[in-house]
């Protein structure tokens, strides 16, 4: 039943991502016009592309690196996510153990090193993105979820994670919600940050290192040109200006958006995820919920919610719905979905009834690059002149830096510890073509919701997907 105050709470919410709706947003850089050349062309100005350009320049300051972005750097998933920067490269430890049992120890070590390196880069480049190593608190909101938390804690301890199981009173002492029955606090493998400020800071660091960046520059074509690749571009929005780039090497970091390589379409589906941001809480409201340790939070249902508190005392509350549109469709109008925002608002006030009367300042959606194994995959094309990474499935804030390192190793043609990983050498199982793709995804969404309503019991369809190693997530 719709709660009476949700409409009022949403009435003035701006239909734009909170993170991008601030005066700190940098002015756009001019689009590419005419012809250009580069040693390395990076396509895409999200985290994956920005890290690739920055690491390439740091490794070889004399390398000519050019980055082109169809919008502005960080405008898509990198500027509208929850700001959970996780050490995991495999979308969680359990998924990594299931899919890469022979190298999970190495992947865990690499993931922890990657998170440490992100923290070091933020400090080195003076990126003010509110980076806090608070950890993440997973909460059970149904009795059947408690056993799963205990199993997760046992597995985490086996791999050296600093985790603590909390009972009902302990978890509510951390964050006061009448829905919490227990929790698991992973204290050291997740940092919280301001996602847009991280993207803007990486952009600035790239420019300071000498990376050339052209925004509002869309790549429309790709072909061989002797020992190099030639990419056609259009820039300038409605007054499109053609351009082209001839590059010795290309790093493709477009993630959820229509790929330049047709082969990637089989492995990726773009899934829309939605979030709300509240107005700043008053001191009394802050006291009412606690949350002094500022952890990122997530409940443990299949249709889960993720939420966090910002440095100025707002609460971001997102997740639950993961919406796919037939034919891998993406469009600006799909970033708004009234039914999802209403559901999120209802769930928010069920979680925090003591915040009745609080209003939401922003509501937005964004597209996530989802693959069947939930974690990134990699590859090359055009005889090794192009490398790609995609499929981060909602955990790209941290893992994209690792993906950038892999792409640079692949483009160099090097045999390295990274390129030898099964994670890097293997691919996810493909999604079927339409209409089976949409039918299967929607059946999976229905089945996941049904499992949540029936104490987690998975039906025949979900059990079959489990046996095949197929999945759908956001």
């Amino acid at each position: 039943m719709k709660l009476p105050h949700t409409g009022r709470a949403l009435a003035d919410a701006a239909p734009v991502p909170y993170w991008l709706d601030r005066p700190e947003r940098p002015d756009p850089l001019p689009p590419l016009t005419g012809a250009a050349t580069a040693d390395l062309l990076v396509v895409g100005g999200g985290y994956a592309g920005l890290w690739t350009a920055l690491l390439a320049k740091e490794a070889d300051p004399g390398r000519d690196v050019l980055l082109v972005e169809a919008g502005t750097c960080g405008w898509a998933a990198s500027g509208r996510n929850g700001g959970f920067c996780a050490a995991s490269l495999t979308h969680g430890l359990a998924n990594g153990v299931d899919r890469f049992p022979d190298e999970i120890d190495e992947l865990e070590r690499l993931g922890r090193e990657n998170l440490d390196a992100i923290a070091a880069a933020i400090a080195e480049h003076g990126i003010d993105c509110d980076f806090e190593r608070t950890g993440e608190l997973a909460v059970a909101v149904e009795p059947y979820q408690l056993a799963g938390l205990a199993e997760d804690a046992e597995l985490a301890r086996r791999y050296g994670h600093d985790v603590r199981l909390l009972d009902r009173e302990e978890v509510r002492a951390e964050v006061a919600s009448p829905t919490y029955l227990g929790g698991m606090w992973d204290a050291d493998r997740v940092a919280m940050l301001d996602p847009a400020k991280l993207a803007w800071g990486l952009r600035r660091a790239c420019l300071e290192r000498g990376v050339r960046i052209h925004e509002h520059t869309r790549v429309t074509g790709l072909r061989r040109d002797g020992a190099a690749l030639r990419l056609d571009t259009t820039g300038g929005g409605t007054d499109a200006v053609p351009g082209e780039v001839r590059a010795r090497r290309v790093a493709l970091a477009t993630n959820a958006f229509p790929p330049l390589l047709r082969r990637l379409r089989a492995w990726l589906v773009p899934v829309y995820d939605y979030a709300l941001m509240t107005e700043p809480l008053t001191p009394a409201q802050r006291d009412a919920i606690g949350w002094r340790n500022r952890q990122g939070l997530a409940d443990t249902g299949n249709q889960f919610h993720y939420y966090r508190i910002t440095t100025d005392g707002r609460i971001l509350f997102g997740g639950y719905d993961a919406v796919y549109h037939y034919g891998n469709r993406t469009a600006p109008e799909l970033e708004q979905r009234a039914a999802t925002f209403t559901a999120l608002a209802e769930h928010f006030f069920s979680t925090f009834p003591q915040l009745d009367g609080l209003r939401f300042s922003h509501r937005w959606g964004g597209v996530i690059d989802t693959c069947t194994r939930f974690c990134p995959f990699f590859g090359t094309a055009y005889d090794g002149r192009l490398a790609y990474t995609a499929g981060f499935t909602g955990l790209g804030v941290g893992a994209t830096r690792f993906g950038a390192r892999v792409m640079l190793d692949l483009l160099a043609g090097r045999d390295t510890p990274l390129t030898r990983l099964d994670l890097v050498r293997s691919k996810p199982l493909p999604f079927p073509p339409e209409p089976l793709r949409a039918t299967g995804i929607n059946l999976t969404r229905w089945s996941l919701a049904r499992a949540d309503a029936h104490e987690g019991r998975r039906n025949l369809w979900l059990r079959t997907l489990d046996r095949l190693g197929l999945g759908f997530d956001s």
Side-chain angles (χ1 to χ4, degrees):
M1 182 178 70
K2 181 177 179 180
L3 301 179
H5 51 256
T6 56
R8 295 193 301 273
L10 287 166
D12 299 323
V16 293
Y18 164 76
W19 306 115
L20 301 176
D21 189 30
R22 294 178 294 172
E24 301 97 320
R25 187 172 185 172
D27 293 333
L29 294 164
L32 177 67
T33 58
T37 61
D39 293 330
L40 171 65
L41 174 65
V42 180
V43 183
Y47 295 141
L50 291 166
W51 279 118
T52 302
L54 181 59
L55 293 175
K57 261 300 193 185
E58 289 180 337
D60 181 1
R63 192 174 191 179
D64 181 18
V65 180
L66 171 63
L67 183 150
V68 295
E69 162 57 46
T72 57
C73 290
W75 75 274
S78 298
R80 56 185 73 204
N81 61 79
F84 288 64
C85 187
S88 177
L89 304 175
T90 58
H91 206 279
L93 177 59
N95 190 54
V97 170
D98 286 344
R99 297 181 186 277
F100 308 104
D102 295 335
E103 62 186 30
I104 187 61
D105 291 297
E106 177 70 359
L107 293 173
E108 283 285 291
R109 182 187 66 79
L110 289 168
R112 181 57 184 261
E113 288 179 356
N114 186 64
L115 183 58
D116 290 343
I118 290 171
I122 288 170
E124 177 187 353
H125 296 289
I127 298 174
D128 180 13
C129 64
D130 303 326
F131 184 89
E132 300 178 274
R133 247 171 139 151
T134 60
E136 183 177 15
L137 180 60
V139 294
V141 295
E142 296 289 346
Y144 77 87
Q145 296 170 358
L146 292 169
L149 280 182
E151 293 172 3
D152 290 344
E154 181 182 356
L155 180 65
R157 289 172 181 145
R158 197 183 311 157
Y159 286 90
H161 293 205
D162 178 13
V163 298
R164 178 183 165 206
L165 271 179
L166 307 177
D167 62 22
R168 172 175 163 160
E169 288 71 29
E170 289 171 326
V171 72
R172 294 184 185 186
E174 286 295 328
V175 182
S177 171
T179 66
Y180 295 171
L181 304 178
M184 183 186 79
W185 186 1
D186 190 334
D188 68 343
R189 298 185 69 84
V190 174
M192 303 307 299
L193 52 77
D194 183 316
K197 286 185 177 180
L198 174 60
W200 298 336
L202 291 173
R203 174 186 184 266
R204 174 180 55 78
C206 284
L207 293 170
E208 290 174 350
R209 286 293 193 275
V211 175
R212 293 178 291 142
I213 298 177
H214 289 287
E215 296 178 322
H216 295 296
T217 301
R218 182 180 302 276
V219 177
T220 58
L222 167 66
R223 61 188 186 279
R224 297 178 188 270
D225 185 4
L229 296 175
R230 188 173 297 273
L231 292 89
D232 300 317
T233 68
T234 58
T238 55
D239 298 323
V241 178
E244 65 176 26
V245 182
R246 187 176 190 272
R248 294 180 59 252
R249 295 290 184 269
V250 174
L252 190 59
T254 53
N255 296 329
F257 292 96
L260 290 169
L261 288 179
R262 181 175 292 274
R263 72 182 71 168
L264 299 184
R265 297 175 190 176
W267 295 316
L268 289 171
V269 296
V271 174
Y272 277 86
D273 177 64
Y274 298 90
L276 301 173
M277 183 72 86
T278 72
E279 62 190 359
L281 275 62
T282 65
Q285 288 169 329
R286 288 294 304 275
D287 290 341
I289 61 170
W291 211 344
R292 301 303 177 193
N293 288 310
R294 304 178 57 80
Q295 310 97 322
L297 268 79
D299 57 46
T300 52
N302 290 303
Q303 292 183 293
F304 65 94
H305 306 84
Y306 58 86
Y307 36 121
R308 52 84 54 89
I309 196 160
T310 66
T311 55
D312 64 345
R314 300 170 184 265
I315 297 175
L316 181 149
F317 194 83
Y320 186 68
D321 270 345
V323 181
Y324 172 74
H325 296 275
Y326 188 93
N328 280 21
R329 182 176 173 231
T330 59
E333 60 267 23
L334 301 179
E335 296 170 7
Q336 296 294 312
R337 194 168 190 265
T340 295
F341 295 136
T342 298
L344 285 173
E346 292 173 0
H347 300 167
F348 176 88
F349 288 114
S350 296
T351 303
F352 296 121
Q354 65 270 47
L355 298 182
D356 186 19
L358 187 67
R359 299 173 78 91
F360 298 102
S361 64
H362 293 77
R363 52 181 168 85
W364 71 92
V367 66
I368 292 170
D369 57 331
T370 297
C371 72
T372 57
R373 71 183 193 185
F374 308 141
C375 57
F377 61 90
F378 312 86
T380 62
Y382 293 96
D383 301 319
R385 295 183 180 90
L386 181 147
Y388 58 83
T389 183
F392 292 91
T393 317
L395 278 188
V397 180
T400 44
R401 183 188 175 277
F402 172 81
R405 291 181 60 204
V406 171
M407 282 200 293
L408 291 172
D409 279 0
L410 291 172
L411 288 172
R414 290 194 293 260
D415 177 26
T416 70
L418 299 188
T419 61
R420 289 193 292 269
L421 291 168
D422 186 45
L423 172 69
V424 173
R425 297 170 65 88
S426 63
K427 295 290 190 298
L429 290 171
F431 289 97
E434 299 288 16
L436 293 177
R437 177 175 296 201
T439 301
I441 288 173
N442 289 326
L443 177 58
T444 302
R445 289 186 65 220
W446 176 85
S447 298
L448 291 172
R450 183 176 175 82
D452 283 339
H454 292 81
E455 298 185 340
R457 292 191 293 272
R458 297 172 77 80
N459 63 16
L460 178 61
W461 174 253
L462 293 180
R463 295 197 303 272
T464 301
L465 294 182
D466 292 340
R467 286 194 297 271
L468 295 174
L470 288 164
F472 173 74
D473 202 356
S474 65

